[in-house]
Amino acid sequence: MTKRILLAGAIPASFLAACSLGGIRIALAPPDSGSAAASGTQGGAGDSEFKALAQGLKTATDEVKRFAEKAESEMKSLGKMTEETKAGADKAITEMTGKISEFDARLTDVEQKAARRGGGHAVEAKSLGQHFIDSDRAKTMLADGSAHKGSARVTIETKNITSATSTVGAGVSAGNSLVPADRQPIVGLPNRTLRVRDLITPGQTSSSNIEYPAETGFTNAAAPVAEGNLKPKSEITFDLRSAPVRTIAHYFKASRQILDDAVGLASYIDGRARYGLEFVEEAQILYGNGTGANLNGIMPQASAYAAPSGVVVASETPIDRLRLAILQATLALYPASGIVLNDTDWARIELTKDSQGRYIIGSPQGQIAPTLWGLPVATTLAMAANDFLVGAFRLGAQLFDRMAIEVLVSSENEDDFIRNLLTIRAEERLALAVYRPAAFVKGNLVNPA
């Protein structure tokens, strides 16, 4: 229980210490606190009994204050407080303590009654017309009467209009009725898992074009040389290549009211706008043909699969072919670091069984990340069925971000202003540099019939 003990004016601490009565906690308050208590404003109680108690407390504290002033004067002149003053002070403090206890008991009773009544104030429900009449602009218009010129515009929060009549029609949410609808989170369309970007070395650029020298040939003439003879010369040829920055973008319309009424919907649109870019980005990284505004993807530049000589596989399976593709990359001096497959093809590989019906790749109860021949497998629907890509992704390519994904909203496009619409635009700028096309091997898991 919190006790509110108020003294009308400061009482010297030296005086309180000299009194024989202890164990009292006194909160020193500004001089007007006693008058505030006497007016019945403390604790919300304004009845005559409460006022009388407050006045009694004020009288008691004034008496203590008088003895405190007298004691302070005696201390200055005599160096100590007389026994008469001390006895009077002890008596005054005792009376004040009684008043405090009585006041506190009454205050506690008032608080308990208020708590049982609920204590809160009911919120008045205003209609649309009441909101308008109570507005400052409407009051000015009404005060001017017929002499008023112009219009009065009042913006009203819909959530504050709890008694206005509303109609729910076809295609209109029931959330604006008197009984609000139980609105659940937005049920969105499924998103495709995006993984290819994570395989490639990331980078950033402030230019509109990435230029890099690509090694196109190497003639190795290194050989033992006798003392005094000319050293052999090896030949290395380069080709200056470029990877221009490309823009991936899209936009769509949205009602301004929708964005105003549902902040969560705005966040959802932002996420959908970003996902749309990332969806196309992954397809461009794999299959972009480099013409027009397209990226020059990895698949068009990768080396075609060709079974390495010296290895003969009877009844070749997709698992065998992937192992041979890994060997092809290794023989090109670019050890593979990952495999990209279509989800359907990977499922077919996982379901492969031996002659006794046991799964060859993993277990149905296993939770190990997809791996094959010691390499991580990235599955994505952006990869066409029956295609595969094996390569040294970190060494062979790099993805440069010129501008990270950006979402902009504007009401000044076409006739959006008069239709109360918003245009939402999302875009990103990036470049893909495939430094070493030989580091990648592409092909079909099964030869087409």
Side-chain angles (χ1 to χ4, degrees), residues 13 24 36 44 76 102 116 123 147 163 179 219-220 242 275 282 293 301 317 341-342 363 376 395 442:
I24 299 177
K76 289 181 180 180
E102 187 178 3
R116 286 192 295 269
V123 178
S163 61
V179 181
T219 302
N220 186 12
S242 64
Y275 172 73
E282 184 159 275
Q301 302 182 68
T317 66
L341 293 174
N342 179 275
S363 168
L395 183 64
K442 65 178 177 180

Side-chain angles (χ1 to χ4, degrees), residues 163-222:
S163 61
T165 303
S166 59
T167 302
V168 179
V172 180
S173 171
N176 62 343
S177 303
L178 284 175
V179 181
D182 183 8
R183 178 169 295 179
Q184 300 298 317
I186 296 173
V187 179
L189 297 175
N191 288 347
R192 186 177 73 188
T193 304
L194 307 173
R195 297 190 176 97
V196 177
R197 173 185 268 264
D198 297 334
L199 296 174
I200 304 173
T201 301
Q204 293 184 344
T205 180
S206 58
S207 177
S208 61
N209 189 55
I210 305 296
E211 293 186 346
Y212 57 95
E215 182 179 323
T216 58
F218 173 49
T219 302
N220 186 12

Side-chain angles (χ1 to χ4, degrees), residues 244 246-247 280 284 287-297:
R246 301 302 191 189
T247 300
V280 174
Q284 284 283 309
Y287 289 103
N289 58 20
T291 62
N294 294 291
L295 294 176
N296 195 4

Side-chain angles (χ1 to χ4, degrees), residues 170-422:
V172 180
S173 171
N176 62 343
S177 303
L178 284 175
V179 181
D182 183 8
R183 178 169 295 179
Q184 300 298 317
I186 296 173
V187 179
L189 297 175
N191 288 347
R192 186 177 73 188
T193 304
L194 307 173
R195 297 190 176 97
V196 177
R197 173 185 268 264
D198 297 334
L199 296 174
I200 304 173
T201 301
Q204 293 184 344
T205 180
S206 58
S207 177
S208 61
N209 189 55
I210 305 296
E211 293 186 346
Y212 57 95
E215 182 179 323
T216 58
F218 173 49
T219 302
N220 186 12
V225 180
E227 185 177 354
N229 292 347
L230 293 175
K231 277 64 174 177
K233 178 184 177 182
S234 295
E235 296 290 342
I236 303 178
T237 58
F238 294 93
D239 181 22
L240 184 62
R241 297 178 180 175
S242 64
V245 172
R246 301 302 191 189
T247 300
I248 301 176
H250 67 147
Y251 78 93
F252 47 92
K253 301 285 188 178
S255 167
R256 180 170 181 173
Q257 288 86 344
I258 292 178
L259 296 181
D260 289 342
D261 296 342
V263 178
L265 181 60
S267 299
Y268 173 78
I269 291 175
D270 177 66
R272 180 57 65 182
R274 290 174 179 268
Y275 172 73
L277 297 181
E278 293 168 349
F279 184 95
V280 174
E281 173 193 287
E282 184 159 275
Q284 284 283 309
I285 292 173
L286 289 175
Y287 289 103
N289 58 20
T291 62
N294 294 291
L295 294 176
N296 195 4
I298 298 176
M299 290 290 284
Q301 302 182 68
S303 300
Y305 166 74
S309 60
V311 179
V312 178
V313 179
S315 302
E316 182 183 290
T317 66
I319 298 176
D320 298 327
R321 177 157 295 191
L322 289 172
R323 181 61 184 92
L324 293 174
I326 294 172
L327 175 60
Q328 181 179 341
T330 302
L331 294 177
L333 304 181
Y334 299 113
S337 61
I339 303 171
V340 180
L341 293 174
N342 179 275
D343 290 82
T344 301
D345 295 325
W346 176 243
R348 187 180 297 112
I349 291 175
E350 285 188 310
L351 294 173
T352 304
K353 301 177 183 179
D354 61 16
S355 59
Q356 299 182 24
R358 295 173 299 188
Y359 290 102
I360 296 176
I361 306 297
S363 168
Q365 296 180 342
Q367 298 181 355
I368 302 176
T371 58
L372 187 64
W373 300 115
L375 299 179
V377 177
T379 59
T380 172
L381 293 175
M383 177 67 77
N386 198 40
D387 282 358
F388 72 83
L389 178 64
V390 173
F393 288 89
R394 293 286 180 181
L395 183 64
Q398 187 171 9
L399 191 64
F400 293 89
D401 285 313
R402 174 65 175 84
M403 183 182 73
I405 295 178
E406 179 184 66
V407 176
L408 299 176
V409 180
S410 174
S411 61
E412 299 178 357
N413 180 55
E414 298 175 340
D415 56 356
D416 287 355
F417 179 77
I418 60 176
R419 292 182 180 274
N420 213 20
L421 295 176
L422 295 175

